[in-house]
Amino acid sequence: MPAFLQPAFRNALRANWFERQRDFFVRQVFADFFSLMLSFQELYQSYCLCRTTRRGDDTCCLLINSEEHSQCSIWNQLSVMVGTEMEKGQLWLLKDLCLQIWPESGPELKIEDSLIEWLIGSIFHEAVKLKEDVHILNSYGSSAFWHGGTVPSSSRLTRIIDRKGLVRRVAVDVMRQMEQLALLFGQASNMLRTMLPVLSSNILLVRFLVEREDIVEELWGEELTSIFQDMFGQPSLGFCAAGESYMGGQWYTRALVMYRRAIALNNFCAEATAKVDELQQLIQETGGYLGAA
C-alpha cells in the first residue's frame, strides 16, 4: 500500500470500528448524562445555599462571607465536571463523544441528533463560563476586596473603579448561568427521553435502562413500563428484549427476572412463558452458578 494512502486507510478502519461499536457509545451517552445530571443536582443544591438576596440588603448572598464555603464547593464540583484540557472531566468527554456520534454535518443527520449534540455542547460551554466566574468570586468577592482591604479608601483607584459593583455583576452572572444550566440540563434530559423510541434496537441501552431503573424513574418521572410502552408498543416486549440479551450472555438469573416481569405485564406472552420454563431448567442444571450475579 502506498505510504500516502496509509492515513486514509487507518481513518477508514477507525470509522468502521466506531460504527460497529455505535450502540455501546450511544448507551454510554445516556450513562454519562445520568451521572452528570445527578452531579448537577448536587451542584445546584450548593448554589441554592447562597442564591437569594437578604431582605433589606441589595448585596447578593454570593458575596457574603458566610457563603464563601458554598462558593468553593461550587467551584470544586464544577472543576470535577468540566476538567481541563490535560485532564478532561466527564462533561468535556461527553461533549466530545456526542460530537463523534452525531457530527455537525452528515448525509443521515437527524434534527434530534443535532439538537442533543448542540444541547450537550451548550451545557459544556455554559459550565466553563460559570467555572471562570465562580473563580473570580472566590478570588475577588471577599469584603476585603470591595471595601478596600489594604488600599486606602481615599486613594484615586477607589474613586475611579467601582470594585463592589464589578464583583456584584459577576455574582449576578453566576446566578443567571446557573439557571441557564438547569434549563439546558432539563432540555437535554427531555431530548434523550424523546429519542428512545428510535433507539429500541439498541439492546445495550435497553439493558442500561433496566439496570438503572431507579435513576430512570427519578430523572424522567415515569415508570420503566411506560418508557418501554413508548419504545416497543408493549412494555412486555422491552423486558423480553432485555431477557434475550441476558440469556445470550448466560446471565440466566437476570434473564429469568426479565421474562417474569414480561409475564406479569402480559400473561399471554408466549415468548416469555417459553423462556421462563427453559431458564428454570438451565438454572437447575447449572446449580444457579451462571448469571447469579
Side-chain angles (χ1 to χ4, degrees):
M1 179 182 295
F4 71 90
L5 289 179
Q6 291 179 3
F9 181 72
R10 287 197 298 269
N11 289 338
L13 285 178
R14 190 180 298 112
N16 290 335
W17 175 84
F18 185 87
E19 193 59 32
R20 290 196 300 272
Q21 303 297 321
R22 185 182 183 86
D23 282 356
F24 169 78
F25 290 119
V26 170
R27 177 248 183 230
Q28 195 61 41
V29 166
F30 280 79
D32 288 349
F33 181 82
F34 277 26
S35 177
L36 281 167
M37 190 72 172
L38 294 176
S39 296
F40 177 74
Q41 288 177 349
E42 294 179 1
L43 171 65
Y44 196 83
Q45 289 176 357
S46 299
Y47 157 70
C48 286
L49 295 175
C50 51
R51 175 178 59 181
T52 58
T53 301
R54 289 185 176 179
R55 184 175 299 177
D57 188 353
D58 64 351
T59 300
C60 173
C61 279
L62 284 166
L63 301 178
I64 296 173
N65 289 341
S66 61
E67 308 301 346
E68 289 179 358
H69 175 73
S70 296
Q71 295 173 25
C72 293
S73 177
I74 291 173
W75 192 87
N76 291 335
Q77 289 169 287
L78 281 169
S79 297
V80 172
M81 288 176 60
V82 176
T84 64
E85 290 188 7
M86 298 299 295
E87 188 175 352
K88 295 181 178 180
Q90 193 173 28
L91 179 54
W92 201 322
L93 293 173
L94 177 59
K95 184 261 299 182
D96 290 347
L97 179 59
C98 286
L99 185 58
Q100 193 169 3
I101 297 175
W102 301 294
E104 295 178 350
S105 61
E108 299 180 358
L109 189 65
K110 301 177 182 178
I111 183 63
E112 295 87 353
D113 301 341
S114 298
L115 280 174
I116 192 60
E117 189 276 324
W118 176 81
L119 283 167
I120 298 299
S122 298
I123 290 173
F124 169 76
H125 292 294
E126 198 70 38
V128 170
K129 291 189 294 183
L130 177 60
K131 179 185 172 185
E132 293 173 350
D133 283 345
V134 172
H135 174 68
I136 291 175
L137 291 185
N138 286 340
S139 301
Y140 307 110
S142 67
S143 58
F145 175 77
W146 31 277
H147 284 309
T150 58
V151 181
S153 59
S154 59
S155 70
R156 185 166 179 263
L157 178 63
T158 59
R159 294 195 300 270
I160 295 175
I161 300 177
D162 180 10
R163 291 165 294 164
K164 183 176 180 179
L166 289 174
V167 176
R168 183 188 289 118
R169 290 181 181 178
V170 176
V172 172
D173 286 341
V174 166
M175 297 171 72
R176 291 173 178 170
Q177 289 162 1
M178 189 66 76
E179 297 302 332
Q180 179 68 4
L181 266 179
L183 174 64
L184 290 171
F185 264 107
Q187 293 293 327
S189 178
N190 291 337
M191 180 55 62
L192 288 174
R193 171 63 184 87
T194 302
M195 292 171 66
L196 285 179
V198 300
L199 298 174
S200 59
S201 62
N202 187 337
I203 300 303
L204 294 178
L205 178 57
V206 173
R207 280 174 48 172
F208 168 76
L209 295 176
V210 167
E211 292 162 7
R212 302 306 303 272
E213 184 173 358
D214 55 336
I215 306 299
V216 167
E217 293 182 355
E218 178 183 346
L219 294 184
W220 284 331
E222 59 181 315
E223 295 182 352
L224 184 58
T225 52
S226 173
I227 293 173
F228 279 170
Q229 175 71 36
D230 192 29
M231 293 177 68
F232 296 94
Q234 296 181 33
S236 59
L237 296 180
F239 290 107
C240 283
E244 181 181 4
S245 178
Y246 284 130
M247 191 171 179
Q250 296 186 328
W251 294 95
Y252 296 149
T253 303
R254 293 185 180 183
L256 181 60
V257 170
M258 293 298 102
Y259 283 119
R260 282 175 171 170
R261 291 189 68 175
I263 292 176
L265 293 167
N266 180 6
N267 291 327
F268 302 100
C269 182
E271 177 187 355
T273 302
K275 293 298 183 182
V276 164
D277 293 338
E278 181 180 351
L279 284 164
Q280 287 176 336
Q281 181 67 27
L282 283 170
I283 292 173
Q284 183 178 1
E285 292 175 355
T286 59
Y289 291 111
L290 290 177

